[in-house]
Amino acid sequence: MDLLKKENWWIWLLLALFSNGSSTIVLGAMLNLFDKNAWYTKWYIWVVGLILMFPFVIMIYALIIDITTKTAAKLDVKGKDYYLSPFIWIILLIIPFIGWLGFIALFLYLNIAILVQLYDGKGEKYIK
C-alpha cells in the first residue's frame, strides 16, 4: 500500500489529526525533502538545544514548519511566494495577537491545503 495514492488521503487526515503536526515530517521523508546539508542534520546543534531544553522545543517547531512549507511547495499549494519566505513567519511571530492569529491561520491553511492536494492526487506523481 503506497500512502501517496489518491485513495489514501484519509490516512493522512487521521495522521494529521492525531500526530500533532509530525505527520508532515513523514510525508516530507516520503517526498525526499530532507537536505543533507541543512541545519537539522547537524548533530551538535541538537545536542546544544537538548542541553538548553528551551531551544530544543523551538528547533522541533522550526523543523515542522520548514518541512510543512517544503511539502506544500512540492505538492503545488498556492501562495508559495509567501509561505516559503522565512521573513513572513518571523514577522507573524513578532507582531502580538494579530500576527499570532495569522501564524496559526497560515499553518492551518498549509496543513489543510496539503490534505486537499493529496485528495486531488498531486502526490501520485512522486510514487516510486
Side-chain angles (χ1 to χ4, degrees):
M1 173 171 81
D2 199 344
L3 293 176
L4 292 176
K5 288 187 177 181
K6 182 178 179 178
E7 60 267 5
N8 294 332
W9 72 273
W10 61 272
I11 295 173
W12 290 108
L13 174 66
L14 292 175
L15 285 172
L17 290 174
F18 297 116
S19 70
N20 196 20
S22 61
S23 64
T24 54
I25 301 291
V26 175
L27 184 58
M30 292 181 78
L31 295 173
N32 296 322
L33 295 177
F34 289 97
D35 183 18
K36 294 179 181 173
N37 298 322
W39 63 271
Y40 48 79
T41 60
K42 296 172 178 53
W43 64 271
Y44 53 87
I45 292 176
W46 290 99
V47 170
V48 170
L50 190 59
I51 291 171
L52 299 176
M53 195 55 160
F54 181 68
F56 184 74
V57 174
I58 294 172
M59 289 165 50
I60 294 289
Y61 285 120
L63 177 64
I64 290 172
I65 290 170
D66 185 35
I67 297 301
T68 301
T69 56
K70 288 179 182 177
T71 302
K74 191 146 188 180
L75 293 176
D76 297 326
V77 172
K78 294 187 188 305
K80 68 174 76 170
D81 296 335
Y82 300 111
Y83 62 76
L84 283 179
S85 172
F87 301 114
I88 297 295
W89 293 94
I90 292 170
I91 288 171
L92 289 176
L93 280 176
I94 291 173
I95 299 172
F97 304 114
I98 294 173
W100 299 339
L101 290 174
F103 182 89
I104 293 168
L106 183 57
F107 192 69
L108 283 174
Y109 164 72
L110 288 179
N111 283 309
I112 292 169
I114 287 171
L115 291 172
V116 169
Q117 296 294 59
L118 288 172
Y119 176 76
D120 288 340
K122 299 285 177 138
E124 288 184 348
K125 61 184 172 182
Y126 300 107
I127 296 175
K128 293 181 180 179

